[in-house]
Amino acid sequence: YQTVKLEDVLTVCSPGQNPNAFMNQPTFVDTGYPYVRIINISDERILDDKMLYLTEEEYNKVRSVYKPQVGDLIYGYINADVGNCMIVSKDGFVLNSNLIRMSPNHEKIYTEYLYLMLQSNTIRRSVKQMVTSSAMPILKFNDIKNFFIPVPSLKDQKKILSYIWPDHQKMPFDP
């Protein structure tokens, strides 16, 4: 297997939208487009608890840059939940700046395989060592892009995934 930097198997690796980057402070409303923060990610799903919502106008201003696509990974790199990760299974939301959007290059890596690597004990131990110790733990963005992960051929990745997720006939995000 080849060991490569994470950034070498991604087409996009970018942090989410900082609320201060809007022209004016965004107006959050009771319903609308979800503005997903790290506290909204748990166990492979987005939690509605404490969700903030953007108006359609605010959403349209930032969606081209900060809207993840189905099959992307969302990775938390700031706060107590550093290292939380999930695969995007539906769209229609934007990310807060505590989250990173990762779009796998499907010519090199399966989304599900990348997810498993990011959740592996090896990466989690590395994350613990790299996190700055402060009141708000932070993993530097460049450190994330420079994670080294083993990347077998797509054929071998599929074999590995079939052992780990035998109930999947077809991986949801097959290239």
Side-chain angles (χ1 to χ4, degrees):
Y1 297 154
Q2 207 178 7
T3 301
V4 300
K5 286 184 180 181
L6 179 60
E7 68 181 344
D8 294 337
V9 294
L10 300 174
T11 58
V12 173
C13 187
S14 63
Q17 173 69 46
N18 184 328
N20 299 326
F22 286 90
M23 291 300 226
N24 299 309
Q25 185 65 19
T27 304
F28 295 112
V29 292
D30 292 334
T31 61
Y33 292 90
Y35 181 72
V36 176
R37 301 171 294 160
I38 198 164
I39 63 171
N40 301 119
I41 294 180
S42 176
D43 299 326
E44 273 297 295
R45 67 184 195 281
I46 295 175
L47 304 173
D48 290 334
D49 295 353
K50 300 180 184 177
M51 182 67 72
L52 298 176
Y53 296 92
L54 296 172
T55 63
E56 184 171 3
E57 181 183 350
E58 296 279 2
Y59 173 76
N60 287 331
K61 285 180 190 175
V62 297
R63 72 178 181 167
S64 65
V65 178
Y66 303 106
K67 178 184 158 233
Q69 306 295 314
V70 171
D72 284 352
L73 288 164
I74 299 172
Y75 190 84
Y77 76 111
I78 298 175
N79 223 329
D81 296 317
V82 166
N84 273 6
C85 184
M86 68 169 282
I87 298 172
V88 176
S89 60
K90 65 178 185 172
D91 59 7
F93 61 91
V94 294
L95 300 178
N96 164 273
S97 60
N98 292 357
L99 299 167
I100 293 174
R101 171 186 169 204
M102 297 181 187
S103 297
N105 178 340
H106 289 129
E107 293 178 5
K108 297 179 180 182
I109 195 164
Y110 285 107
T111 300
E112 296 85 355
Y113 179 82
L114 179 56
Y115 169 81
L116 290 175
M117 291 300 98
L118 292 173
Q119 295 301 293
S120 70
N121 288 335
T122 303
I123 293 290
R124 288 193 172 272
R125 276 193 300 276
S126 295
V127 166
K128 279 186 177 185
Q129 292 172 352
M130 289 184 229
V131 168
T132 59
S133 56
S134 67
M136 184 183 300
I138 298 173
L139 181 61
K140 294 176 186 164
F141 181 65
N142 283 333
D143 287 344
I144 296 166
K145 293 190 310 183
N146 290 319
F147 283 162
F148 279 94
I149 59 170
V151 181
S153 69
L154 289 174
K155 180 180 175 183
D156 287 343
Q157 289 176 46
K158 196 165 200 158
K159 283 182 189 174
I160 291 166
L161 290 167
S162 72
Y163 289 115
I164 295 170
W165 286 326
D167 55 329
H168 284 275
Q169 293 298 320
K170 179 180 188 310
M171 300 303 150
F173 306 106
D174 266 349

